[in-house]
Amino acid sequence: MKTKITQILKQRYYLLFFFSLLLQQTYAQQQITITGKVVSATGESIPFANVVIKNTKNGAVTDFDGTYKIAAAGNQTLVFSSQGYKTTEIEINNKTSINVTLQEDAMKLDEIVVVGYGSQQKKDLTGAVSLVKATEIQKRQVTTVADGLQGLVTGVKVRGGGRPGQEASVEIRGLKNLQNTNPLYVIDGLVTSANRDFNPNDIESIQVLKDASAAAIYGSRAANGVIIITTKKGKKGPLQIDVSAKSSFTTIPRYDLAGTEEFARLNNMAYDNAGMTRQNLNMAVNTDWQDAVFRTGMMQDYNASVSGGNENSTFFMSGNYFGNEGAVIGTDFDRISFRVNSSGTKGIFSIGENLAISNSKTDEMSGNPIIDVYRMTPTIPLYDASNPGGYGYGKQGVADTFGTNPLAIADFANTINENFRIRGNIWSELKFAPWLKYRFNFGYETSFDSYKFMRKVGNWTLNQPIDPSQTDQNKGRSQTTLFENTLTFKKEFGKHDITVLVGQTFQKDKYDQIYGTKRNLPINSGTGQYYEVLNQGDSPVVGGFINEAALASYLGRIEYNYDNRYLLNAVLRRDGSSRFSDANKWGNFPSVSAGWRISNESFFKSEFIKDLKLRASYGELGSGNIKEYEYKSFVNNFGQIVLGQNLYPSATQVKLSNSELRWEKLKQTNFGLDLGVLNNDLRLTADYFIARTEDVLFGFPILLTTGNDGGNPISNAATVENKGFELELAYSKKINEFSFNASINFTKVNNKLVSLGNGQNENISGNTITRGGMPVGMWYVLQTDGLFQNQQEIDNYKNANGQVIMPNAVPGDIRFKDVNGDGQITSTDKAIVGSPWPEFEMGLNAGAEYKGFDFSMNWIASHGATVYNGFRSVVDRFDDNSNYRAGIQPWTPENPNTDFPRITKGSTLNSRGDSDRFLENGDFIRLKYIGFGYNLPQSVLKNSGISRARLTLSAQNIITITKYKGLDPEFTNSNIFERGVDNGAFPNLQTYSFGVDFSF
């Protein structure tokens, strides 16, 4: 018994010792409470982020402010994750406070992408869709969304300028037709335009649909690509207030022009060489026209938003003021805008609205001061009391120039455009079952447009008649109504995931305008200002018109996903437009695309490759981008005819029509590859496409002797083809508190005009030719071959028959090539010498973050384009009286070693604008944006009531590497046939910005 008791005591002792060790171990692993905040790289709170103890199911979720609280052992590890961000692990090490910065996951395979009438996960995309971070656009100082896209997306070419209120041109995957049409914009489901009335600060996400399969759901309006914009919405949580302010200073690049002394020397030389009497130049004047016209511009951008929500409803409200005092006199732009987005849910019913109101006012540029500053000479004073109006602009025999005084025209001819716009939509959804929902969308947009031109008494150029004062005014209103009904079925059956969408839409557009003109306006004797109201003055002219169009559509889409490996997407849209006759009103636009996620196959075993997907698609898109009544004839019923001695009313057809007009059709094939390696830190996207547009709608010039004076009649004639390759390579990495990201995109597009149609083979416009089988707008000019150094060279320049080709030339003149060998230089000697289209374009984006500091930059580059320098074609010609480039060394017998010809006033031989003399290399590399930011630490803000504070400093267009001698190699020309002509295009400005952002 004693032994048994002893054994029990020993067992209890061992048991006690075991529990003692267990208690010690438990004490060692005693839980502590950890608190902290989860933010993004830009310092914004990340709500609803997951905080999980590693290797357990225990966790927490951050609240609206990004804060969390969790209990864990001091030697455990926390795992932080959120959709769209890279997962981060941090060891606790007995710390009770852990703040985490999550880096964005560039792959974001689970990210939801808006694709038109629905959405998909990024990993399931089979078409060519590019996503753009809204922050990339918002950190730049831009007027429109398009300005901010430059260099960020493969296949998207953007060309803008620095004129206040100027809207950039956007070209997706090259030339699709001959009308220079911008892509379709869809904002929150409303088909509209993201023009200068739209506030870029309201953007939540941007998707660019580039190929036919991605854009086919928009059918006849998607031939030039689609840009889908989703604006910001409220989120579940307490009230969130965000305020931002940005101020920018802008400067315009300048020409290097001659001053009075150098101008006089060259001008006298030109007159002497021509044997003409010199001008009586005013040597006492040395006007720097650039100093008088160009100034430091200023932009102000103030934005405030309020958002919030609960389980059943959310709201977002914002207000913005954007003001741009231009860097050129007489150019200003102001915009004020408001937005309200809200939504609510009750049971199976949801409803919401997106409403934006804006008012923009633009002081349009009078004349073209970009040209006038070198057309005017330095010997002309700014002001001359002897001229009507008091401005200087030249005199016969003293300053024989027909340039325009920019100050005078800005004073005497002023144009104001003002637009008050309301746009938005109301939507509602009924979710009959988790797999079936119906959606109704009503969109409405209206713009009240006001145009006012005021012509005061006064002159701005030589020999100008003294015109009376005049005001031209018009009031217009545009209205767009949109009705959409869609039914969506989405269901998973084992490994099968099927989504079916069917819908119907109807859109109606209307624009009406009234206009009036009055002359000889009286002046208010008290203020000295003109009465601009139309009940003053005389010689009234009034008029007006109404344009209407409608588009009805039916659409369907099937998305099929088998086991996240095999993807299929098919779309069919049928559009009917009132712009076509009944026989050709309807068009069908189908597409099909497929994807194969090889990385999800069981046989695919690779730690290096994390994601691999192949894509292929074919689709057909349409375009009916013509005026409302092109298929109808126009009759002028105000005519009169004399028969005998009597006058009778008459009617005459003044515009030819084409009742056979039909849809322009784009057929596009796309092959794509998506690849992610090194744990998806390195990503590659590549696409090759072939696009062919048939039955291109275009109005070719016809003779006025046909009786047509209503513009060139439209016909389905040309065929245009594009082939291109796109590549994007991106890398991102985080090492402790330092993170880095970089991406490079490459775009190569070759366009070709397959045929012009209508029995034509070529079209000549200015110095370009568009010929079947070649790119549009090729340079078609005379070719120069150096300078004649002496009379012997002139006499020896003969054709095969021994005929002297340029007998009237003198030493120092340009030698032109006699291409056809007929012994003379004529237009028949012109040859195709180059292309205005770049061989490829590139963009480089890079950024880094360390603790609260961040840095980002964007470079763009273009290579292979030949461009025409309109500036040099004026200042280097010498047969008129414009200013000249500083530092030129023209040919003289004493200075024969130069490439600049002799200068002479009396001959146009050396000033021909139709030669290759003014063609230049259009290559450039530009630092489009560079910015620095700093997020104030939470320790500084914790007692201020401010949850986030950020300071930014940035610059745009400050470095440009180019051989181009004009103001800006990144110019734009709206004439599709003269794309490469820089004829006074407003240049991009150097912009320096400072901004602050606060969140409460």
Side-chain angles (χ1 to χ4, degrees):
M1 175 65 78
K2 182 177 179 181
T3 302
K4 185 177 292 188
I5 292 174
T6 301
Q7 290 175 344
I8 292 174
L9 289 174
K10 286 181 179 181
Q11 290 174 353
R12 288 182 177 178
Y13 172 78
Y14 293 139
L15 190 61
L16 182 63
F17 178 74
F18 171 76
F19 277 112
S20 176
L21 291 176
L22 184 63
L23 287 171
Q24 290 180 25
Q25 181 72 15
T26 303
Y27 179 78
Q29 295 182 357
Q30 183 177 3
Q31 289 191 331
I32 59 176
T33 300
I34 303 101
T35 60
K37 188 170 185 177
V38 180
V39 298
S40 67
T42 58
E44 296 182 353
S45 303
I46 302 179
F48 315 119
N50 295 313
V51 185
V52 179
I53 302 172
K54 189 174 182 179
N55 298 324
T56 74
K57 295 183 179 181
N58 300 327
V61 177
T62 60
D63 61 17
F64 187 78
D65 295 323
T67 60
Y68 71 92
K69 178 189 290 187
I70 192 171
N75 61 350
Q76 290 183 304
T77 299
L78 296 182
V79 180
F80 298 85
S81 63
S82 181
Q83 181 175 313
Y85 295 90
K86 291 186 176 180
T87 301
T88 300
E89 296 184 5
I90 296 181
E91 295 180 356
I92 298 174
N93 288 332
N94 293 318
K95 294 192 294 286
T96 58
S97 178
I98 299 177
N99 294 322
V100 179
T101 299
L102 295 184
Q103 303 300 315
E104 287 196 22
D105 181 2
M107 285 296 291
K108 295 183 180 178
L109 295 180
D110 294 326
E111 184 178 4
I112 301 300
V113 179
V114 179
V115 291
Y117 304 100
S119 60
Q120 290 180 277
Q121 287 188 316
K122 184 177 179 180
K123 64 184 178 64
D124 295 335
L125 293 176
T126 54
V129 180
S130 291
L131 280 69
V132 182
K133 300 176 185 176
T135 53
E136 290 296 318
I137 293 177
Q138 291 157 356
K139 67 185 180 183
R140 304 185 188 187
Q141 186 64 81
V142 297
T143 303
T144 65
V145 176
D147 294 306
L149 287 174
Q150 193 167 31
L152 299 179
V153 184
T154 58
V156 178
K157 180 176 182 177
V158 180
R159 287 294 182 266
R163 177 168 52 84
Q166 183 173 358
E167 297 181 1
S169 64
V170 181
E171 193 173 79
I172 298 179
R173 290 192 164 184
L175 187 67
K176 301 293 185 15
N177 50 41
L178 301 177
Q179 299 190 57
N180 220 13
T181 307
N182 278 321
L184 177 74
Y185 287 90
V186 181
I187 303 177
D188 293 326
L190 177 66
V191 176
T192 179
S193 59
N195 52 17
R196 61 193 183 187
D197 296 335
F198 179 75
N199 176 20
N201 293 289
D202 287 339
I203 298 174
E204 178 71 29
S205 66
I206 299 179
Q207 285 78 218
V208 182
L209 313 185
K210 297 185 291 187
D211 74 334
S213 69
I217 197 71
Y218 291 105
S220 64
R221 294 174 292 185
N224 297 291
V226 180
I227 298 177
I228 299 179
I229 298 174
T230 303
T231 60
K232 295 177 180 177
K233 307 295 189 294
K235 299 177 181 178
K236 174 186 173 183
L239 191 69
Q240 173 85 5
I241 301 174
D242 295 291
V243 180
S244 66
K246 184 183 293 183
S247 294
S248 305
F249 298 93
T250 60
T251 60
I252 189 170
R254 296 195 174 199
Y255 306 105
D256 190 10
L257 298 173
T260 291
E261 184 177 342
E262 184 178 15
F263 169 78
R265 177 177 60 83
L266 295 171
N267 190 257
N268 290 336
M269 185 187 297
Y271 274 77
D272 291 345
N273 288 341
M276 300 173 63
T277 302
R278 293 181 177 182
Q279 294 188 97
N280 185 22
L281 300 175
N282 188 349
M283 300 299 292
V285 176
N286 188 12
T287 302
D288 188 326
W289 288 96
Q290 295 185 99
D291 276 350
V293 176
F294 299 157
R295 62 190 180 185
T296 300
M298 183 175 182
M299 286 188 276
Q300 302 175 74
D301 192 355
Y302 305 109
N303 201 76
S305 65
V306 180
S307 62
N310 54 35
E311 295 289 344
N312 300 315
S313 62
T314 62
F315 72 92
F316 172 86
M317 296 186 295
S318 72
N320 170 258
Y321 169 75
F322 179 82
N324 185 356
E325 182 181 332
V328 173
I329 61 167
T331 58
D332 296 285
F333 174 73
D334 286 276
R335 177 186 67 219
I336 184 169
S337 62
F338 300 92
R339 173 172 291 279
V340 178
N341 296 341
S342 62
S343 64
T345 302
K346 182 70 173 179
I348 66 170
F349 179 72
S350 299
I351 191 169
E353 50 75 31
N354 306 282
L355 176 65
I357 302 174
S358 64
N359 190 83
S360 63
K361 184 177 181 181
T362 310
D363 187 351
E364 303 286 2
M365 187 170 67
S366 300
N368 192 335
I370 307 301
I371 295 176
D372 292 334
V373 293
Y374 60 78
R375 287 282 288 154
M376 299 295 287
T377 67
T379 60
I380 300 174
L382 293 175
Y383 304 98
D384 187 340
S386 65
N387 291 330
Y391 287 94
Y393 43 72
K395 291 184 178 179
Q396 294 286 354
V398 178
D400 288 323
T401 180
F402 289 96
T404 298
N405 186 324
L407 279 71
I409 195 171
D411 185 5
F412 297 143
N414 194 29
T415 301
I416 300 294
N417 263 318
E418 190 166 2
N419 309 93
F420 178 76
R421 189 181 301 270
I422 302 173
R423 59 179 155 198
N425 65 313
I426 299 174
W427 59 268
S428 62
E429 284 186 357
L430 283 173
K431 198 167 186 178
F432 301 109
W435 43 268
L436 183 65
K437 70 176 180 181
Y438 162 78
R439 182 182 178 94
F440 169 74
N441 181 47
F442 170 74
Y444 181 75
E445 178 175 6
T446 184
S447 177
F448 298 88
D449 306 326
S450 175
Y451 169 91
K452 180 184 291 185
F453 170 76
M454 180 64 194
R455 167 61 163 107
K456 301 177 183 178
V457 174
N459 288 9
W460 50 72
T461 191
L462 186 62
N463 293 343
Q464 182 181 7
I466 302 177
D467 293 326
S469 60
Q470 177 177 321
T471 182
D472 299 329
Q473 300 180 28
N474 66 57
K475 304 287 185 181
R477 184 184 181 187
S478 65
Q479 296 182 78
T480 296
T481 53
L482 176 69
F483 299 88
E484 295 181 331
N485 296 276
T486 56
L487 189 66
T488 304
F489 169 88
K490 183 175 177 58
K491 188 75 171 176
E492 291 187 28
F493 304 93
K495 295 182 179 181
H496 306 274
D497 189 343
I498 300 176
T499 301
V500 179
L501 168 77
V502 293
Q504 170 270 331
T505 77
F506 177 78
Q507 179 175 323
K508 184 175 182 180
D509 301 308
K510 179 180 179 182
Y511 182 79
D512 58 271
Q513 184 186 108
I514 57 173
Y515 59 85
T517 298
K518 279 291 190 72
R519 309 182 74 180
N520 297 307
L521 304 174
I523 297 178
N524 187 320
S525 59
T527 63
Q529 301 296 316
Y530 286 86
Y531 287 102
E532 298 183 33
V533 292
L534 287 176
N535 66 339
Q536 300 294 324
D538 56 29
S539 305
V541 176
V542 297
F545 62 87
I546 297 176
N547 289 329
E548 293 182 303
L551 180 73
S553 308
Y554 302 92
L555 55 97
R557 177 172 60 208
I558 298 176
E559 302 167 23
Y560 175 69
N561 181 337
Y562 176 74
D563 196 25
N564 285 321
R565 290 182 290 159
Y566 309 115
L567 310 169
L568 181 68
N569 189 303
V571 174
L572 176 63
R573 176 157 176 151
R574 180 171 172 81
D575 285 335
S577 173
S578 65
R579 299 172 191 264
F580 297 102
S581 65
D582 290 342
N584 300 292
K585 193 176 298 295
W586 291 92
N588 299 318
F589 308 102
S591 79
V592 62
S593 59
W596 180 23
R597 295 202 72 196
I598 303 175
S599 54
N600 282 358
E601 293 286 358
S602 58
F603 63 80
F604 189 85
K605 308 289 185 182
S606 175
E607 291 298 323
F608 178 72
I609 299 177
K610 291 296 183 182
D611 182 68
L612 176 59
K613 180 172 65 174
L614 299 179
R615 295 177 281 107
S617 69
Y618 172 81
E620 296 181 1
L621 301 174
S623 178
N625 188 36
I626 56 177
K627 294 181 180 180
E628 288 82 0
Y629 312 111
E630 289 291 346
Y631 73 93
K632 296 182 179 180
S633 300
F634 282 71
V635 175
N636 181 355
N637 58 359
F638 293 103
Q640 292 181 323
I641 187 173
V642 178
L643 295 176
Q645 296 183 350
N646 297 320
L647 196 63
Y648 294 93
S650 67
T652 305
Q653 179 175 334
V654 293
K655 181 177 181 180
L656 302 179
S657 62
N658 183 355
S659 61
E660 300 300 318
L661 291 177
R662 57 190 179 275
W663 289 101
E664 182 179 287
K665 187 162 287 189
L666 168 70
K667 300 176 180 179
Q668 188 175 89
T669 303
N670 189 91
F671 301 97
L673 166 70
D674 300 322
L675 175 67
V677 300
L678 300 176
N679 199 30
N680 280 334
D681 289 337
L682 181 64
R683 288 91 52 197
L684 171 69
T685 300
D687 282 273
Y688 173 76
F689 63 89
I690 302 172
R692 185 184 178 97
T693 309
E694 300 174 348
D695 293 332
V696 171
L697 292 162
F698 187 71
F700 286 96
I702 63 173
L703 296 175
L704 295 180
T705 53
T706 60
N708 175 61
D709 67 352
N712 301 321
I714 303 293
S715 64
N716 293 95
T719 299
V720 177
E721 185 178 85
N722 281 296
K723 294 181 180 180
F725 177 73
E726 300 170 358
L727 177 69
E728 182 174 13
L729 188 65
Y731 179 78
S732 62
K733 189 68 176 178
K734 186 176 189 299
I735 304 173
N736 297 325
E737 294 186 87
F738 176 77
S739 62
F740 169 80
N741 66 85
S743 67
I744 185 169
N745 58 71
F746 174 92
T747 302
K748 180 177 178 61
V749 180
N750 296 324
N751 82 77
K752 179 176 69 174
L753 183 75
V754 178
S755 64
L756 273 172
N758 289 339
Q760 301 185 61
N761 182 52
E762 63 183 33
N763 178 66
I764 296 176
S765 177
N767 292 320
T768 71
I769 187 169
T770 299
R771 182 177 290 170
M774 301 184 70
V776 173
M778 298 290 284
W779 296 116
Y780 186 62
V781 292
L782 296 175
Q783 299 176 76
T784 58
D785 189 22
L787 305 178
F788 290 114
Q789 294 297 328
N790 50 57
Q791 186 62 42
Q792 183 179 2
E793 289 187 4
I794 297 173
D795 295 338
N796 291 336
Y797 187 41
K798 302 176 181 180
N799 67 355
N801 298 324
Q803 182 180 356
V804 177
I805 298 172
M806 299 179 64
N808 296 322
V810 299
D813 282 346
I814 297 173
R815 178 168 50 220
F816 293 98
K817 292 183 179 181
D818 181 18
V819 174
N820 63 2
D822 65 355
Q824 56 184 336
I825 303 300
T826 65
S827 294
T828 58
D829 293 308
K830 291 183 177 181
I832 298 175
V833 300
S835 171
W837 304 94
E839 292 182 16
F840 64 82
E841 294 191 305
M842 298 180 67
L844 170 65
N845 302 280
E849 297 94 25
Y850 179 70
K851 295 187 176 179
F853 296 90
D854 59 86
F855 158 79
S856 60
M857 66 177 179
N858 166 235
W859 292 80
I860 61 172
S862 177
H863 171 73
T866 300
V867 297
Y868 186 90
N869 191 331
F871 159 65
R872 280 190 51 229
S873 73
V874 174
V875 298
D876 285 1
R877 59 185 296 167
F878 281 87
D879 65 328
D880 70 351
N881 286 296
S882 297
N883 202 355
Y884 315 125
R885 282 192 297 139
I888 64 169
Q889 298 295 323
W891 188 97
T892 64
E894 298 76 26
N895 182 40
N897 297 320
T898 179
D899 62 354
F900 201 100
R902 76 183 185 99
I903 57 177
T904 177
K905 179 69 168 66
S907 171
T908 60
L909 180 64
N910 294 330
S911 60
R912 295 192 64 153
D914 59 347
S915 75
D916 62 5
R917 181 186 175 195
F918 305 117
L919 293 179
E920 297 185 16
N921 186 335
D923 294 356
F924 70 88
I925 300 173
R926 167 166 283 175
L927 178 58
K928 194 65 182 176
Y929 170 86
I930 184 170
F932 301 87
Y934 176 65
N935 298 296
L936 273 65
Q938 292 297 315
S939 58
V940 175
L941 303 175
K942 62 181 179 180
N943 296 322
S944 65
I946 300 174
S947 60
R948 184 181 71 95
R950 175 173 170 80
L951 307 177
T952 60
L953 182 66
S954 64
Q956 296 170 211
N957 305 312
I958 58 172
I959 298 176
T960 302
I961 303 170
T962 184
K963 295 180 180 179
Y964 181 63
K965 296 183 178 67
L967 287 186
D968 186 4
E970 194 194 335
F971 63 85
T972 181
N973 189 318
S974 60
N975 186 334
I976 198 70
F977 297 105
E978 299 184 33
R979 174 67 66 88
V981 178
D982 180 5
N983 191 21
F986 205 106
N988 285 270
L989 306 180
Q990 291 187 347
T991 305
Y992 303 88
S993 306
F994 174 75
V996 293
D997 301 292
F998 296 97
S999 295
F1000 301 90

